Amino acid sequence: MDLLYTSTRNSQGGVTASQAILTGLAPDGGLYVPERIPKLTIPEKALMNMTYQETAYEVMKLFFTDFTEGELKNCIQKAYDSKFDTEEIVPVKKTNDAYYLELFHGPTIAFKDMALSILPHLMICSAKKNQADKEIVILTATSGDTGKAALSGFAGVAGTRIIVFYPKDGVSPIQKQQMVTQEGANTLVVGIEGNFDQAQTGVKQMFSDQALAQELAAKGFQFSSANSINIGRLIPQVVYYVYAYARMMAQGELSEKEAFHVVVPTGNFGNILAAKYAKEMGIPIGKLICASNENKVLYDFFRTGNYDKNREFILTSSPSMDILVSSNLERLIFEMTGRDDSRDRKLMETLSSQGSYQITPEMKERISDFYGNYASEEETASTIKELYRREGYVLDPHTAVAACVYEKYKNESQDGTKAVIASTASPYKFTRSVMTAIDSSYDCKTDFELVDELEKLSGVEVPQGIEEIRRAEVRHKTTCQVEEMPEVVKGFLGI
């Protein structure tokens, strides 16, 4: 039976998976959610012997039911191939007190590759299935990692163009260099004078601008999204939590049905929501530990039930988490209301007009499996230094936030359950923050000198994605004010 998708703001009538992927955002401004979360149908013992690609098929076939077996396997094989630097795709590395799920072995050395390697293939297949006759314009806001991963996935893909907006002064130097050196005539990278939330709001406004949509349609274009609001990005993320469970069983670290916690450094909420979906599919995940940096809007939400973006926006060493409006949280809110689209819509309207909303005690009870905490900048740096000193293992700042929060959870709960920490980026993407955390004397070196120092210190070879940008030409120099974003889009499309 086909699994359909409904909007969080209008659950009447559903669309197919391919229609949801192609559209990105629902016409009413809501996010597409599956009508139900399917249960895994593969026995756990069989799961233990599967490759990442085979696991991906077993998960995705249950969500993307209007894709044929051949179509879906083709998308998977094109996505998870030699562009990853390990056949495992996502290794699980054990330390003394945790298991790190390394999600950064793709071409842009961040976890966004896990979904954005497959999204272009899903989208082109979706366009063919729905007889789409317009060129797809991918419109994306990034806090650092989505941008490059999306650019890498869509560059040169026929029938698509991609426009990425990023906060000009809110990403790491290497993140910026990765984006502005991107090749491909169908790509545009734009730095905005503002923060990620402003870029994300600007993109959402363009999606809901019906006059702009008609103007684009008249010229043969249609918008879609590569942000985690697109269900075609969220579902592939479910796969690696299923795979982590299978790998740990295969390695003898977990027995069948043994519970384990998942710790996720969280900004836009998509990555931890994927873990929640994996849990609902039948994976024995216990606590979903939501780790925030000093922009701790989610920590406050899980503690108080009040979501309040009315606060100072702080630039931190973990920029991909510098977010005050966590878009994917709406999908969880929808479930917390009992899938009541009118209540969800009212809460989102209150957030838009007042900058905050309060959930009921009943709703809060429905998320009792979540735990939230945060790490300060000092705690993040200390975690990087201490783990390197103790075990020689180097974390990026985002993963360090998660590791720090996990320690806080253990100290609070005295819970000895094993935990998987989502390691979301390579330390090579944040060399200055990482190296100066280990030893402040490194601060006098350039970012690329620090790349070489990190290789010596860690014993991990410099990733190809970093080598490629050392001397690459800067191709994208466009900047704009937030209110100028629509005009920049139209200029790139020749409208």
Side-chain angles (χ1 to χ4, degrees):
M1 189 172 77
D2 275 354
L3 179 65
L4 297 180
Y5 291 79
T6 61
S7 169
T8 51
R9 303 186 193 180
N10 181 6
S11 58
Q12 301 304 308
V15 300
T16 64
S18 63
Q19 289 168 334
I21 291 167
L22 195 57
T23 308
L25 192 69
D28 53 41
L31 307 187
Y32 284 118
V33 291
E35 290 182 322
R36 56 183 169 79
I37 303 297
K39 297 295 183 183
L40 271 173
T41 55
I42 189 80
E44 288 178 328
K45 285 186 177 176
L47 201 61
M48 287 167 53
N49 298 315
M50 287 186 170
T51 64
Y52 191 85
Q53 294 85 345
E54 290 167 340
T55 307
Y57 176 71
E58 290 299 326
V59 173
M60 291 189 209
K61 75 177 185 181
L62 303 176
F63 286 96
F64 300 152
T65 54
D66 65 324
F67 285 73
T68 67
E69 179 179 348
E71 288 169 339
L72 194 49
K73 285 185 174 179
N74 182 55
C75 290
I76 289 167
Q77 292 305 320
K78 286 181 176 177
Y80 306 114
D81 59 9
S82 59
K83 70 174 73 68
F84 287 82
D85 64 18
T86 170
E87 285 187 15
E88 283 183 278
I89 307 298
V90 284
V92 180
K93 294 290 179 69
K94 183 182 179 181
T95 62
N96 277 345
D97 55 0
Y99 300 81
Y100 288 88
L101 183 63
E102 292 188 345
L103 300 170
F104 53 76
H105 288 274
T108 76
I109 59 175
F111 83 102
K112 306 296 176 74
D113 287 323
M114 299 308 303
L116 284 164
S117 289
I118 194 169
L119 182 61
H121 305 294
L122 292 173
M123 196 165 283
I124 294 303
C125 187
S126 295
K128 291 176 181 176
K129 293 174 82 67
N130 291 279
Q131 292 83 49
D133 59 355
K134 294 180 176 60
E135 189 169 355
I136 300 167
V137 179
I138 305 298
L139 202 58
T140 292
T142 184
S143 55
D145 287 335
T146 286
K148 176 57 182 178
L151 289 161
S152 177
F154 282 94
V157 174
T160 70
R161 299 197 198 187
I162 178 166
I163 306 168
V164 170
F165 291 95
Y166 72 98
K168 185 169 69 70
D169 300 314
V171 299
S172 81
I174 286 179
Q175 283 178 314
K176 182 175 180 177
Q177 186 74 357
Q178 282 186 306
M179 288 189 283
V180 299
T181 58
Q182 177 65 51
E183 298 181 355
N186 67 330
T187 67
L188 177 66
V189 179
V190 184
I192 69 155
E193 303 286 350
N195 59 44
F196 169 74
D197 285 328
Q198 290 170 307
Q200 181 167 250
T201 298
V203 166
K204 284 184 174 180
Q205 287 173 344
M206 282 188 275
F207 271 109
S208 59
D209 186 336
Q210 294 305 310
L212 180 60
Q214 291 173 10
E215 196 173 354
L216 263 67
K219 296 292 185 178
F221 298 108
Q222 71 176 81
F223 280 145
S224 190
S225 172
N227 278 92
S228 55
I229 56 175
N230 193 313
I231 200 70
R233 257 197 64 183
L234 181 60
I235 299 307
Q237 292 178 271
V238 177
V239 175
Y240 48 72
Y241 294 111
V242 177
Y243 186 71
Y245 174 53
R247 287 292 83 218
M248 289 178 69
M249 283 194 297
Q251 294 165 11
E253 300 292 344
L254 284 176
S255 58
E256 286 187 44
K257 309 296 184 185
E258 181 181 350
F260 65 101
H261 300 325
V262 170
V263 191
V264 186
T266 309
N268 223 11
F269 207 74
N271 202 1
I272 196 165
L273 183 65
K276 173 69 170 175
Y277 279 19
K279 179 175 181 174
E280 293 188 17
M281 292 188 81
I283 300 302
I285 294 171
K287 283 289 183 183
L288 296 150
I289 300 174
C290 180
S292 300
N293 64 17
E294 289 184 352
N295 291 289
K296 53 189 179 68
V297 64
L298 288 167
Y299 163 71
D300 292 337
F301 171 71
F302 284 116
R303 290 295 168 109
T304 68
N306 183 49
Y307 193 98
D308 188 357
K309 70 170 185 174
N310 299 315
R311 62 184 69 202
E312 179 188 0
F313 186 95
I314 302 169
L315 293 175
T316 74
S317 60
S318 48
S320 297
M321 298 160 67
D322 290 347
I323 294 172
L324 296 181
V325 180
S326 300
S327 288
N328 271 288
L329 184 63
E330 181 173 351
R331 286 185 165 114
L332 184 64
I333 293 292
F334 179 66
E335 300 299 334
M336 291 160 61
T337 64
R339 301 180 72 89
D340 184 334
D341 54 12
S342 63
R343 287 179 70 190
D344 176 89
R345 186 168 57 252
K346 286 175 184 174
L347 288 170
M348 294 307 111
E349 287 170 353
T350 303
L351 179 64
S352 180
S353 62
Q354 300 177 23
S356 67
Y357 60 80
Q358 178 75 43
I359 63 172
T360 65
E362 177 191 23
M363 290 171 67
K364 194 169 185 293
E365 179 60 30
R366 288 179 173 171
I367 53 170
S368 59
D369 54 347
F370 281 87
Y371 167 90
N373 214 318
Y374 78 100
S376 69
E377 284 291 89
E378 293 76 18
E379 289 172 325
T380 301
S382 176
T383 300
I384 293 171
K385 182 175 183 176
E386 179 58 23
L387 190 64
Y388 173 71
R389 185 195 64 78
R390 196 173 73 237
E391 303 195 33
Y393 190 64
V394 184
L395 303 178
D396 89 288
H398 303 77
T399 310
V401 167
C404 178
V405 165
Y406 176 51
E407 288 300 317
K408 290 184 177 183
Y409 170 77
K410 286 195 297 181
N411 290 336
E412 281 184 25
S413 66
Q414 297 300 303
D415 180 357
T417 302
K418 293 173 182 176
V420 169
I421 297 176
S423 186
T424 54
S426 165
Y428 279 103
K429 208 154 191 171
F430 304 94
T431 50
R432 185 162 302 280
S433 296
V434 169
M435 296 300 286
T436 55
I438 291 171
D439 186 337
S440 60
S441 66
Y442 283 114
D443 202 28
C444 63
K445 297 182 180 289
T446 69
D447 286 281
F448 281 104
E449 285 174 339
L450 290 174
V451 165
D452 296 325
E453 293 295 335
L454 178 56
E455 183 176 39
K456 294 175 192 174
L457 181 144
S458 67
V460 176
E461 188 177 349
V462 178
Q464 186 62 31
I466 296 296
E467 290 291 0
E468 288 173 353
I469 64 170
R470 278 186 192 264
R471 297 170 189 85
E473 176 190 352
V474 173
R475 298 171 181 272
H476 301 275
K477 301 176 182 178
T478 304
T479 62
C480 75
Q481 301 294 325
V482 175
E483 61 270 17
E484 296 171 332
M485 290 168 64
E487 292 306 313
V488 169
V489 169
K490 290 198 284 187
F492 180 57
L493 301 178
I495 297 174

